[in-house]
Structure formats: C-alpha cells, structure tokens
C-alpha cells in the first residue's frame, strides 16, 4: 500500500513538473512516507526523520514532510518533536500534495492535513512515467472496517471506502494503453469491495469486467480477508482467464482461541476448508499468508496449533511477525502479554519451519512448465531475464532476446528458497537456444 502511495505522490509531482532525484543531497523536497502497523516500522521512520535535521540546518530551503500513517496517528504533534518539518499529511490527503507544497513555498507557513475523507484524483501520466513498466498496482479501496484487535489500520486509514467500478475500469484501460500487462488490485480488504453499496458491482463482478477488457494479460489482487471469501470469488479462479493462480490469504493464527481474541471472525477449520475449496477450483494455485506470534495470551499449545496449521496448508510463503502493541487497539487491554525473548523464540521456530516448506514447494516445481511474464533483466546482471509465474514466484532464465512484457514458457530446472531457475522452452517444450 505504501509503495503504491509513494508512487502516486511521485506521479502527481512529476505531472506538475517536478523531477525525481536519486540523491537526497540534490533534493529540494524530501517526503518520508511512513508505516505504523508495527512499532518497529514507526521507530525506523522516526529515526530517519530525525536524521533530516542536520540536512535542513545546512540547506534551510529544503521542504521536508512526513506522510502516511505515522503522520495520521501523531498529527501536528510531529511539528513539536521535529520543528524543522514543514508538512504533515495523512494517507488520504496525498492526492492534494501539490496544493500543500504550494502553500509552504508561498511562505504561508507549515501545512498539515489528517482529513479522513477520500477523494482520489484519477490522473494520467502523459510524461512517460509508465514507459518501460510491465506491472502496476491499482488501489480500488481505502481503509478498513474490520477492527482486528491488534491492528491500527482502521484508526489511521479510516473507514472502508471503495472507488467506483467505472473509475477502476477506465484507469485499467489507460494503464493497458500505456503498455501495462499485469494489474494488481490493492486494498486492505479487497474482497469486501463495495459490500456496502448494492448498486455497484461486487468484487467478483469487478474482476469479471476487468477480465473482459482486451489487452490485459494478468490480473491479481491483494489482500483478501478469509471471512469475506465468497463462493463466487472462489469460482472466479476457475473462470477468468487473466486471473493469476495466487491468493494471499492472511490467517494470523492457527488457534481458535487466539483467532477469537483477534476478532478475525473465522475458525481454523473454516480457513482450512476455504483453502481446500480454492484448490479444488484451481489445483495449481499458490497460497501465501500472514501470521502473528506472541499475541497476548498465546499459550505454547496455541503456538503449536499455528505450527501445525502451516504444515497442514503448506503455504508457498508466509509473512510472519511478532505481536506489536499498537495505540488505540483492543489487544492493548488483554492480559497475558509475552516477553520479547519468547516472542522472538516463537518467531524463529515458525520461520525455520516455513523456510523448509517454501523450499520444498519450490523444489517440487522442478520439471514443470511455467508461464512467466518477463519484467526485464535479472538482478545479477549476468544476462538472465526475470519475471514472475502466475503463482507469483520469481523465475530467472537465460535468453538471447529481450522478452520484456511478454508471456513466455519456462521449464523450471531448480527451485531455490526465494526464486526459481528455468530455461526458455517452445510450445513443444523444447529448449530454446
Ligand atoms: N488487511 C490485511 C489482513 O487482514 O490480513 C493485512 C493488513 S496489515 C497492514 C499486514 C499484516 O501486518 C497483517 O496481516 C498482520 O499479520 C500484521 N500486523 C498488523 N498489526 C500487527 C501488530 N500489531 N503486530 C504484529 N503484526 C501486525
Ligand atoms: Fe488490520 Fe484486520 Fe483491517 Fe487487515 S482486516 S487491515 S489486519 S483491521
């Protein structure tokens, strides 16, 4: 979400004539987009902001701003803590960034807004910003109404608001016209898109409409909440040709007691049955998830339940976190807090177990043929091309031609921890030299 928001700010400012620089020392405007989902992320952002003080002393003409969820949470208090900051802007206010910058430049003092209305302006990028890009995020909703007991998101991103389907379709058509081949729809809880407005298409309806747009090779979405995963959405994986074979479905815990305390509104069995149903419709689907260890009151048995669950499901990948106390959340009041050392121990055990599962799943892909959307040269700079499989795994392979933006057939010859190595094959599965 923050990658997308930072990108949106860049695009708006470039459209207004600003230029991007790779060096902070050349910058006239420095905006730090912040995350507050865990304390560590917030701390990192605050440390980075603190470091701007000396730069601002040397070059007082710099405009510096704090954007995003830390800005939303702490508001104008940030001006007291960091007097050299000129701008504080919550995540819903980024679409008007140039107005706030203009106010500062015109000498009308510091600017701030933590307004929670969401009025995204849809803009085009006639300045070539999308040139050479193959994939794009597209935000279809903002905020969250779920109030999981550990989570600060509903407090800093506000109530769930969906973008009209027409705007999403128009923006998609525009992205495709600019050469984008793969669109990932994003939102805190994409599968509850438009549930409040019955006159608009639901999420599966939106996917259907997007799938029928000519020229879109791939469609993805992230993140889905298990409680809102409808039969219709599961069915989409078997019906829509552009919809990729991947779902990120955060489970958070394998223990019913903890799921209940987390206010997740599903049980472990319900989660397992959802996964079984998705796999029935799309057997090759990859499933990734998020999991928190050390939630207040999590016993050794609850933790065991999480370990067993990751064995049962065999996630392709798992993002796991130590529970972090967040302001305003219900979990703050819960008894049974675990100490840092125990949380770290559980995290290490879980991550080690998952590493083995991920590696074995990647190894199992050896010998299979995967369709890869080529994104460009690989990181190693050794002539390899890189792209992603439909299941969202990174695949690298050697090729003499530049296939950027094309779907190619790749035979997987080696599965590693974080990527796959393959070779280009033709439609008869013969190696292409
Ligand atoms: N909306 C998504 C969902 O329901 O799964 C996730 C959004 S949240 C920004 C991303 C992940 O951060 C969550 O899935 C959760 O695992 C983790 N997270 C959120 N609050 C946390 C906390 N207080 N401590 C540790 N991890 C947390
Ligand atoms: Fe946070 Fe839960 Fe909303 Fe996800 S669904 S953003 S974890 S409150």
């Amino acid at each position: 979400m923050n990658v997308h928001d930072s990108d949106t700010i860049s695009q708006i400012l470039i459209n207004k004539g600003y230029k991007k620089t790779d060096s902070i020392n050349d910058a006239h405007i420095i905006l730090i987009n912040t995350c507050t989902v865990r304390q560590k992320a917030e701390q990192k952002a605050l440390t980075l902001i603190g470091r701007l003080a000396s730069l601002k002393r040397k070059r007082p003409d710099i405009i510096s701003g704090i954007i995003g969820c830390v800005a939303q949470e702490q508001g104008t208090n940030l001006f007291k803590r960091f007097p050299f900051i000129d701008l504080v802007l919550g995540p819903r206010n980024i679409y008007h960034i140039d107005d706030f910058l203009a106010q500062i430049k015109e000498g009308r003092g510091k600017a701030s807004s933590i307004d929670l209305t969401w009025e995204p302006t849809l803009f085009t990028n006639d300045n070539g910003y999308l040139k050479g890009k193959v994939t794009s995020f597209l935000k279809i909703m903002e905020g969250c109404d779920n109030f999981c007991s550990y989570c600060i998101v509903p407090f800093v991103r506000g109530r769930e608001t969906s973008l009209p389907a027409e705007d999403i379709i128009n923006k998609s058509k525009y992205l495709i016209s600019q050469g984008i081949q793969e669109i990932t729809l994003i939102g805190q809880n994409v599968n509850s898109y438009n549930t409040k407005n019955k006159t608009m298409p639901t999420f599966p309806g939106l996917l259907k409409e997007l799938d029928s747009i000519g020229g879109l090779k791939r469609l993805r979405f992230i993140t889905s909440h298990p409680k809102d995963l409808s039969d219709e959405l599961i069915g989409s994986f078997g019906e829509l040709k552009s919809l990729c074979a991947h779902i990120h479905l955060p489970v958070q815990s394998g223990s019913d007691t903890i799921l209940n305390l987390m206010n997740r509104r599903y049980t472990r069995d319900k989660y397992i049955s959802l996964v079984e149903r998705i796999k029935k419709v799309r057997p090759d689907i990859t499933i990734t998830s998020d999991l928190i260890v050390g939630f207040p009151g999590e016993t050794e048995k609850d933790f065991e339940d999480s370990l067993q669950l990751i064995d049962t499901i065999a996630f392709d990948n798992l993002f796991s976190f130590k529970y972090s106390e967040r302001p305003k959340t219900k979990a703050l009041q819960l008894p049974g807090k675990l100490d840092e050392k125990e949380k770290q121990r559980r995290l290490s055990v879980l991550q080690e177990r998952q590493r083995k599962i991920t590696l074995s799943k990647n190894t199992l892909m050896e010998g299979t043929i995967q369709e890869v959307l080529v994104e460009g040269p690989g990181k190693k700079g050794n002539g390899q091309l890189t792209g992603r499989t439909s299941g969202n795994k990174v695949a690298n392979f050697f090729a003499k031609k530049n296939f950027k933006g094309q779907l190619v057939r790749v035979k997987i010859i080696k599965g590693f921890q974080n990527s796959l190595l393959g070779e280009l094959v033709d439609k008869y599965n013969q190696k292409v030299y």
Side-chain angles (χ1 to χ4, degrees), residues 144 146-148 150-151 153-154 188 225 264:
C144 180
N146 286 322
F147 291 93
C148 299
Y150 50 81
C151 186
V153 168
Q188 294 299 340
H225 195 301
R264 290 292 288 180

Side-chain angles (χ1 to χ4, degrees), residues 396-414:
N396 299 309
F397 60 97
F398 286 100
K400 293 216 172 88
K401 256 171 67 186
N402 182 3
F403 289 99
K404 187 170 176 176
Q406 292 182 41
L407 284 172
V408 296
R409 290 163 65 77
V410 172
K411 182 175 179 183
I412 305 304
I413 49 177
K414 186 89 188 132

